[in-house]
Amino acid sequence: MESQTWGLRLCSQIYCHGELLHQVQMAKLYQDDKQFVDMSLSTAPDQVLGNFSKLAVIYNHSIPRQQLQEFVQQYFQPVGQELQPWTPEDWKDSPQFLQKISDAKLRVWAEQLHHIWKKLGKKMKPEVRSHPERFSLIYSEHPFIVPGGRFVEFYYWDSYWVMEGLLLSEMASTVKGMLQNFLELVKTYGHIPNGGRVYYLQRSQPPLLTLMMDRYVTHTNDTTFLRENIDTLAMELDFWTVNRTISVSSGGQSYKLNHYYVPYGGPRPESYSKDAELADPLPEGDREALWAELKAGTESGWDFSSRWLVGGPNPDLLSSIRTSKLVPVDLNAFLCQAEELMSKFYSILGNDAQATTYRNLRAQRLAAMEAILWDEQKGAWFDYDWQNRKKNVEFYPSNLTPLWAGCFSNPDVADKALKYLEDSKILTYQYGIPTSLQKTGQQWDFPNAWAPLQDLVIRGLARSASPGTQEVAFQLAQNWIITNFDVYSQKSAMYEKYDVSNGAHPGGGGEYEVQEGFGWTNGVALLLLDYYGDRLTSGTQMALLGPHCLVVALLFNLLAW
């Protein structure tokens, strides 16, 4: 608990709010606000704060830019000093899954992706443990894989797709270490923060810890590790129940579902100047509300998107954000899946009472999702605006997350989802599934496509018993693999997102330049190469899946019947 005390103290003093943070970030000493809050201290924080207070008094609390720069250079270390490169000890040449890839060019590429894990490995230096007060980085005992680029610490939901790739690379020890880091965070803070920095402690990210454990245990059969940590998994789900639950009424009945909600104001430290300027025209009380909604948006993982702007005064402007006013499909599907897995875990461990408890929780959530989020006519689930009492019927790949999570009762929903994609014209995009059809300039909107969202749709459709629907899932996988492969062939890099509007290109928009690496993109590519390795080709881009797609799928289904 000592590290928690230091973390919270440090967070409040230097890295999360206060005059030092405000003056440095508003002076825009760096192109990216994240750079400053990722710097470690050269000396004790009390000394840094004391000397800053003296400087502030000299300049009447308006320190000139040059003096601020000199102060930061004197008392802060350059970014990245607290981490060292780490080559995972369980990395090895030629993991088995490569042999399943028939196309020679794709097999070579997959091997190159396997090599990238060595570039993304990080280990904390001992001084982060001995002097936690000097770092924004939260100490973690075990080495880990990072996304890449500006993201040199671990992130919560990214790590699930990273782990899927690592398990295919036969790196179960690395996965176990990352899981141990997450479990330790739950024990210390009661939840997993957005990422591995003290300034992320106020918010979490999509809850995939239980799923990570399931993938690891399925791969290793390490039920001892599961038994040792089952209570911690339950504690993490309790965080969402206690702090992120909302009651929604429909048809005279009340249902409990979850939403993203961060009840803390103040600008995000890593985007401080942007948040301060965005809120500047607003009355003071409204500023705090805006900042809390921005933090809820980052908790969703979709920072930022038209998903969270809908229903606001100007749905094209980030200042209209109202994340907490929506009940998201994906969050509730992730929790539904976690409840099912917890029931399975307790059964494995011989605790039938707890297995029944979680089975009942899943059944309650399933009923709530069908009552509040499911739209039978459209054949999909939709985020629910509980304040305005209506669904957001715009297209987002997250609308089909319950398929991927296995959180549905009617086996026909995968085929209905295919018709929904057809009706939404999504199958006409031949380079990947766009994140939305709204062009707001935000990174989780058109024309960007993100690897985890491809996975949600592809593996969701692949659950169908219908050969035609399964074939569309394959064709979507083929499109995405070609996009990744073509860009890699041109640039020798994997990216966090791709522009799918007109050919295959790295994505853009949002608050920072597109990043290379890239953890979850690599993980999804390896997943698809493993799943469809005997069929995927490195040839020309697949033709678009136009209006005939549904006819083809129906023909497949009739033939199978």
Side-chain angles (χ1 to χ4, degrees), residues 398-414:
S398 52
N399 293 345
L400 299 183
T401 311
L403 267 187
W404 178 88
C407 194
F408 55 88
S409 54
N410 181 350
D412 297 335
V413 292

Side-chain angles (χ1 to χ4, degrees), residues 115-370:
H115 276 265
I116 292 176
W117 297 133
K118 294 195 284 188
K119 297 180 185 175
L120 298 177
K122 300 289 180 188
K123 186 178 183 179
M124 294 194 189
K125 292 183 178 175
E127 49 265 41
V128 183
R129 183 174 190 174
S130 56
H131 291 286
E133 72 277 9
R134 296 189 181 189
F135 302 91
S136 66
L137 201 66
I138 301 169
Y139 178 74
S140 289
E141 181 182 349
H142 302 278
F144 48 89
I145 303 293
V146 301
R150 79 197 276 264
F151 304 113
V152 297
E153 54 284 299
F154 60 75
Y155 284 79
Y156 182 6
W157 80 314
D158 292 58
S159 297
Y160 162 68
W161 283 277
V162 168
M163 288 180 189
E164 286 279 22
L166 290 171
L167 290 173
L168 285 170
S169 290
E170 299 171 28
M171 296 167 65
S173 295
T174 297
V175 170
K176 184 175 184 178
M178 292 172 69
L179 271 170
Q180 286 171 305
N181 289 340
F182 284 140
L183 292 160
E184 198 56 42
L185 287 167
V186 176
K187 290 175 192 172
T188 305
Y189 300 108
H191 70 285
I192 298 174
N194 181 154
R197 299 273 178 183
V198 292
Y199 55 74
Y200 287 140
L201 281 170
Q202 291 178 336
R203 56 205 196 245
S204 188
Q205 258 194 342
L208 295 173
L209 178 65
T210 311
L211 181 59
M212 295 176 197
M213 178 66 86
D214 179 66
R215 302 312 303 133
Y216 170 76
V217 173
T218 300
H219 188 86
T220 63
N221 201 29
D222 188 353
T223 51
T224 302
F225 185 64
L226 174 63
R227 186 180 299 278
E228 290 167 354
N229 292 289
I230 188 74
D231 291 344
T232 309
L233 295 178
M235 188 190 302
E236 199 240 351
L237 293 181
D238 287 347
F239 166 81
W240 292 89
T241 302
V242 172
N243 301 288
R244 303 290 190 264
T245 296
I246 188 161
S247 291
V248 183
S249 298
S250 175
Q253 194 164 342
S254 182
Y255 298 94
K256 288 197 184 314
L257 287 164
N258 290 77
H259 65 147
Y260 296 110
Y261 173 65
V262 182
Y264 300 101
R268 290 169 296 148
E270 77 281 11
S271 300
Y272 193 100
S273 63
K274 291 183 177 72
D275 287 4
E277 287 166 0
L278 188 67
D280 192 51
L282 301 176
E284 196 162 334
D286 292 348
R287 290 178 196 172
E288 295 296 331
L290 170 62
W291 290 328
E293 292 293 355
L294 289 168
K295 288 177 182 176
T298 63
E299 183 169 81
S300 77
W302 288 54
D303 40 333
F304 292 105
S305 170
S306 57
R307 272 184 87 184
W308 315 129
L309 310 181
V310 69
N314 186 336
D316 288 328
L317 295 181
L318 189 53
S319 54
S320 289
I321 190 165
R322 46 196 302 278
T323 319
S324 71
K325 308 301 185 290
L326 291 140
V327 177
V329 171
D330 46 1
L331 171 59
N332 284 282
F334 293 145
L335 289 168
C336 179
Q337 181 184 48
E339 287 156 354
E340 182 174 25
L341 290 172
M342 288 295 282
S343 179
K344 180 179 91 171
F345 291 162
Y346 277 116
S347 290
I348 290 169
L349 299 175
N351 189 334
D352 293 339
Q354 282 290 68
T356 301
T357 297
Y358 279 98
R359 198 176 306 117
N360 292 339
L361 286 171
R362 179 188 182 273
Q364 289 165 21
R365 187 181 301 276
L366 191 57
M369 290 174 68
E370 288 179 353

Side-chain angles (χ1 to χ4, degrees), residues 104-117 119-120 479-498 503-507 515-519 521-523 525-526 529 538 541:
K105 288 181 181 177
L106 290 182
R107 190 163 58 249
V108 170
W109 175 53
E111 191 157 14
Q112 290 168 335
L113 298 185
H114 172 62
H115 276 265
I116 292 176
W117 297 133
K119 297 180 185 175
L120 298 177
N479 288 355
W480 185 248
I481 286 295
I482 291 288
T483 291
N484 284 197
F485 178 75
D486 283 355
V487 173
Y488 188 89
S489 299
Q490 296 161 27
K491 299 181 178 289
S492 298
M494 297 290 281
Y495 292 89
E496 61 168 346
K497 55 183 179 268
Y498 293 83
H505 307 285
Q515 302 295 300
E516 292 181 18
F518 196 85
T521 311
N522 304 2
L526 294 179
L529 287 164
S538 58
Q541 189 80 35

